Amino acid sequence: RQAKYAETAQTTQYTAPTKTIIDKWTATNNGSTAVDFSAHIVASGDSASTQNRLVYVSIDPGKTYLCAELVGHVMESGDFISTLAGTATAIVIRGSGREVT
């Protein structure tokens, strides 16, 4: 996934087309104040909720959070990653992984 700002509404960032392993996911606060950030791995057909939230942190300005809670998870086809940022144009996210066929 190319780097992009996380939205202030719960937003799907990636949907697995096949079995996918998450290798890395980062969230960097480019803003001037601390910002809350959350990330969910959601099963196909479900929606983001506290039951599937893996990351919920406040990121200080200028800091990068390495979302270790996501790394190593295996997503099945149709599962997706959804994120939420507390402030617009503050949290830059980037992820990488492997699609296994």
Side-chain angles (χ1 to χ4, degrees):
R1 173 98 201 151
Q2 293 300 315
K4 66 171 288 216
Y5 282 107
E7 293 84 356
T8 57
Q10 195 70 243
T11 302
T12 299
Q13 303 298 343
Y14 173 80
T15 302
T18 185
K19 184 177 284 193
T20 301
I21 301 167
I22 301 168
D23 291 326
K24 190 166 191 172
W25 195 276
T26 59
T28 301
N29 183 351
N30 286 338
S32 59
T33 61
V35 176
D36 289 340
F37 171 75
S38 66
H40 307 248
I41 296 178
V42 184
S44 179
D46 204 353
S47 58
S49 68
T50 55
Q51 286 79 19
N52 50 40
R53 182 176 65 201
L54 296 175
V55 175
Y56 182 68
V57 296
S58 179
I59 305 172
D60 288 330
K63 300 295 183 182
T64 297
Y65 185 77
L66 305 175
C67 301
E69 301 90 339
L70 300 179
V71 174
H73 277 273
V74 177
M75 300 168 61
E76 299 298 329
S77 178
D79 293 355
F80 59 97
I81 298 172
S82 182
T83 65
L84 175 65
T87 302
T89 63
I91 302 294
V92 176
I93 56 173
R94 184 171 181 129
S96 64
R98 295 167 278 150
E99 295 174 352
V100 181
T101 56

